[in-house]
Protein backbone atom coordinates (compact mmCIF):
# COMPACT_ATOMS: atom_id res chain seq x y z
CA UNK A 1 0.00 0.00 0.00
CA UNK A 2 0.87 3.63 -0.27
CA UNK A 3 2.67 5.13 2.72
CA UNK A 4 0.91 7.93 4.49
CA UNK A 5 2.69 11.25 4.03
CA UNK A 6 4.38 12.87 7.01
CA UNK A 7 3.39 16.21 8.48
CA UNK A 8 3.42 18.98 5.88
CA UNK A 9 3.70 16.59 2.93
CA UNK A 10 1.27 15.45 0.27
CA UNK A 11 1.80 12.43 -1.94
CA UNK A 12 1.20 13.23 -5.58
CA UNK A 13 1.57 10.26 -7.91
CA UNK A 14 4.34 8.86 -5.74
CA UNK A 15 6.13 12.23 -5.47
CA UNK A 16 6.25 14.03 -2.13
CA UNK A 17 5.29 17.69 -2.20
CA UNK A 18 6.41 19.80 0.74
CA UNK A 19 3.86 22.39 1.78
CA UNK A 20 4.75 24.91 4.47
CA UNK A 21 1.83 26.57 6.18
CA UNK A 22 2.55 29.69 8.23
CA UNK A 23 -0.14 31.47 10.19
CA UNK A 24 -0.60 34.36 12.58
CA UNK A 25 2.56 36.33 11.88
CA UNK A 26 0.75 39.48 13.11
CA UNK A 27 3.53 41.49 11.45
CA UNK A 28 3.64 45.16 12.33
CA UNK A 29 4.92 47.67 9.82
CA UNK A 30 5.93 50.20 12.46
CA UNK A 31 8.59 48.04 14.19
CA UNK A 32 6.64 48.04 17.43
CA UNK A 33 5.98 44.84 19.36
CA UNK A 34 2.76 42.99 18.61
CA UNK A 35 0.62 42.75 21.70
CA UNK A 36 3.45 44.75 23.36
CA UNK A 37 5.39 41.48 23.64
CA UNK A 38 6.41 39.89 20.31
CA UNK A 39 8.99 41.28 17.90
CA UNK A 40 7.22 39.96 14.82
CA UNK A 41 9.76 41.47 12.40
CA UNK A 42 12.58 39.58 14.13
CA UNK A 43 10.50 36.40 13.96
CA UNK A 44 9.83 36.94 10.25
CA UNK A 45 13.51 37.56 9.53
CA UNK A 46 14.47 34.40 11.44
CA UNK A 47 11.87 32.38 9.53
CA UNK A 48 13.08 33.62 6.14
CA UNK A 49 16.73 33.03 7.11
CA UNK A 50 15.86 29.47 8.12
CA UNK A 51 14.03 28.87 4.84
CA UNK A 52 17.01 30.20 2.88
CA UNK A 53 19.33 27.82 4.74
CA UNK A 54 17.24 24.71 4.12
CA UNK A 55 18.71 22.13 1.76
CA UNK A 56 15.21 20.96 0.82
CA UNK A 57 12.93 23.95 0.54
CA UNK A 58 9.14 23.76 0.50
CA UNK A 59 7.46 23.44 -2.89
CA UNK A 60 4.80 25.93 -1.85
CA UNK A 61 4.12 28.25 1.09
CA UNK A 62 0.62 28.96 2.39
CA UNK A 63 0.26 32.08 4.55
CA UNK A 64 -3.00 31.35 6.32
CA UNK A 65 -4.13 34.57 7.87
CA UNK A 66 -3.44 37.24 10.42
CA UNK A 67 -0.46 38.19 8.30
CA UNK A 68 -0.47 41.85 9.30
CA UNK A 69 -1.36 43.11 12.73
CA UNK A 70 -4.53 45.17 12.26
CA UNK A 71 -4.19 45.11 8.47
CA UNK A 72 -1.07 47.31 8.54
CA UNK A 73 -0.31 48.27 4.93
CA UNK A 74 3.46 48.47 5.43
CA UNK A 75 3.45 44.96 6.93
CA UNK A 76 2.15 43.52 3.64
CA UNK A 77 5.00 45.27 1.79
CA UNK A 78 7.51 43.85 4.29
CA UNK A 79 6.10 40.36 3.73
CA UNK A 80 6.57 40.58 -0.04
CA UNK A 81 10.08 42.00 0.33
CA UNK A 82 11.00 39.21 2.76
CA UNK A 83 9.47 36.17 1.05
CA UNK A 84 9.82 37.03 -2.66
CA UNK A 85 13.59 36.33 -2.87
CA UNK A 86 12.90 32.72 -1.85
CA UNK A 87 11.47 31.99 -5.32
CA UNK A 88 8.88 29.64 -3.86
CA UNK A 89 5.21 29.87 -4.90
CA UNK A 90 3.30 31.63 -2.13
CA UNK A 91 -0.44 31.75 -1.56
CA UNK A 92 -2.13 33.88 1.07
CA UNK A 93 -5.52 34.17 2.67
CA UNK A 94 -6.89 36.62 5.21
CA UNK A 95 -7.38 36.19 8.91
CA UNK A 96 -9.53 38.30 11.19
CA UNK A 97 -6.70 40.84 11.71
CA UNK A 98 -6.08 41.34 7.97
CA UNK A 99 -7.63 43.75 5.50
CA UNK A 100 -8.80 42.14 2.27
CA UNK A 101 -8.42 45.31 0.21
CA UNK A 102 -4.81 45.81 1.25
CA UNK A 103 -3.96 42.15 0.77
CA UNK A 104 -5.42 42.11 -2.72
CA UNK A 105 -3.58 45.31 -3.60
CA UNK A 106 -0.13 44.44 -2.23
CA UNK A 107 -0.22 40.62 -2.30
CA UNK A 108 -2.24 40.29 -5.51
CA UNK A 109 -0.01 37.55 -6.94
CA UNK A 110 -0.30 35.60 -3.68
CA UNK A 111 -4.09 35.71 -3.47
CA UNK A 112 -5.55 35.30 -6.98
CA UNK A 113 -9.11 35.63 -5.74
CA UNK A 114 -12.00 34.35 -7.81
CA UNK A 115 -14.15 37.41 -8.62
CA UNK A 116 -17.28 35.21 -8.56
CA UNK A 117 -17.11 35.10 -4.75
CA UNK A 118 -15.95 38.69 -4.07
CA UNK A 119 -15.40 40.31 -1.65
CA UNK A 120 -14.20 37.03 -0.15
CA UNK A 121 -10.67 35.93 -1.03
CA UNK A 122 -11.31 32.39 -2.25
CA UNK A 123 -9.46 30.57 -5.01
CA UNK A 124 -8.17 27.22 -6.19
CA UNK A 125 -4.61 26.38 -7.17
CA UNK A 126 -4.76 23.52 -9.67
CA UNK A 127 -1.90 21.08 -10.05
CA UNK A 128 -1.80 17.80 -11.96
CA UNK A 129 -2.77 15.49 -9.11
CA UNK A 130 -3.50 17.97 -6.33
CA UNK A 131 -5.43 21.12 -5.78
CA UNK A 132 -5.21 23.67 -3.04
CA UNK A 133 -8.51 25.33 -2.17
CA UNK A 134 -8.26 28.57 -0.23
CA UNK A 135 -11.29 29.82 1.70
CA UNK A 136 -11.87 33.19 3.31
CA UNK A 137 -13.58 32.63 6.66
CA UNK A 138 -13.35 36.23 7.85
CA UNK A 139 -16.00 38.84 8.50
CA UNK A 140 -14.74 42.40 9.10
CA UNK A 141 -15.12 43.34 12.76
CA UNK A 142 -15.42 39.75 13.97
CA UNK A 143 -12.71 37.54 15.45
CA UNK A 144 -14.61 34.30 14.86
CA UNK A 145 -14.78 32.29 11.67
CA UNK A 146 -17.72 32.55 9.29
CA UNK A 147 -18.96 30.39 6.44
CA UNK A 148 -21.10 32.57 4.19
CA UNK A 149 -23.62 31.12 1.72
CA UNK A 150 -21.70 32.64 -1.22
CA UNK A 151 -18.52 30.89 -0.06
CA UNK A 152 -20.40 27.61 0.42
CA UNK A 153 -21.84 27.81 -3.10
CA UNK A 154 -18.43 28.62 -4.54
CA UNK A 155 -16.73 25.78 -2.61
CA UNK A 156 -19.37 23.25 -3.69
CA UNK A 157 -18.79 24.23 -7.32
CA UNK A 158 -15.01 23.97 -6.98
CA UNK A 159 -15.17 20.54 -5.36
CA UNK A 160 -17.46 19.23 -8.12
CA UNK A 161 -15.02 20.24 -10.87
CA UNK A 162 -12.48 17.49 -10.15
CA UNK A 163 -13.86 15.19 -7.46
CA UNK A 164 -11.21 12.52 -8.05
CA UNK A 165 -8.28 14.86 -7.29
CA UNK A 166 -6.69 15.07 -3.84
CA UNK A 167 -7.74 18.38 -2.33
CA UNK A 168 -6.27 20.35 0.53
CA UNK A 169 -8.45 23.04 2.07
CA UNK A 170 -6.89 26.07 3.76
CA UNK A 171 -8.57 28.73 5.88
CA UNK A 172 -7.65 30.82 8.87
CA UNK A 173 -10.23 29.69 11.41
Amino acid sequence: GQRRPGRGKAVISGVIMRILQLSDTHLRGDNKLSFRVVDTRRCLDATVAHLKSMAQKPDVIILSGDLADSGDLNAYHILTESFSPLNIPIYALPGNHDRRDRMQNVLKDWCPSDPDVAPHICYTVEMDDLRLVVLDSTHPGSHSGHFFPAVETWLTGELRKRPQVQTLLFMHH
Side-chain angles (χ1 to χ4, degrees):
Q2 187 177 23
R3 279 184 51 208
R4 292 182 54 164
R7 196 164 113 186
K9 299 174 185 173
V11 175
I12 307 164
S13 296
V15 176
I16 292 178
M17 173 179 249
R18 288 172 173 75
I19 300 171
L20 173 65
Q21 181 178 2
L22 298 173
S23 187
D24 293 274
T25 55
H26 287 275
L27 186 64
R28 291 186 62 122
D30 59 6
N31 294 319
K32 292 183 180 177
L33 300 178
S34 281
F35 311 108
R36 290 178 261 155
V37 177
V38 181
D39 184 345
T40 56
R41 180 62 188 263
R42 185 182 59 76
C43 292
L44 173 67
D45 292 344
T47 299
V48 171
H50 177 72
L51 286 167
K52 286 180 181 177
S53 74
M54 293 174 66
Q56 253 185 336
K57 294 182 177 37
D59 297 301
V60 66
I61 297 173
I62 305 290
L63 301 175
S64 58
D66 284 355
L67 308 179
D69 196 49
S70 302
D72 184 304
L73 180 63
N74 194 40
Y76 296 121
H77 288 286
I78 292 168
L79 283 166
T80 59
E81 292 164 9
S82 298
F83 280 110
S84 291
L86 295 172
N87 293 319
I88 297 170
I90 298 173
Y91 299 101
L93 61 116
N96 49 287
H97 287 267
D98 289 306
R99 290 218 9 211
R100 289 179 184 138
D101 58 337
R102 291 179 176 174
M103 283 184 68
Q104 289 180 310
N105 184 37
V106 178
L107 309 176
K108 58 184 162 263
D109 294 335
W110 295 0
C111 47
S113 185
D114 186 333
D116 291 341
V117 73
H120 307 283
I121 297 177
C122 298
Y123 55 93
T124 301
V125 178
E126 296 285 358
M127 300 173 188
D128 289 338
D129 295 329
L130 177 72
R131 66 181 166 186
L132 312 176
V133 177
V134 174
L135 285 183
D136 182 346
S137 61
T138 64
H139 181 64
S142 174
H143 287 287
S144 59
H146 299 265
F147 192 58
F148 292 97
V151 173
E152 179 184 9
T153 300
W154 178 85
L155 175 60
T156 300
E158 288 298 297
L159 295 176
R160 284 185 179 146
K161 287 179 183 175
R162 296 175 66 201
Q164 73 287 359
V165 175
Q166 293 183 72
T167 300
L168 299 176
L169 181 65
F170 296 91
M171 62 185 129
H172 179 68
H173 296 92

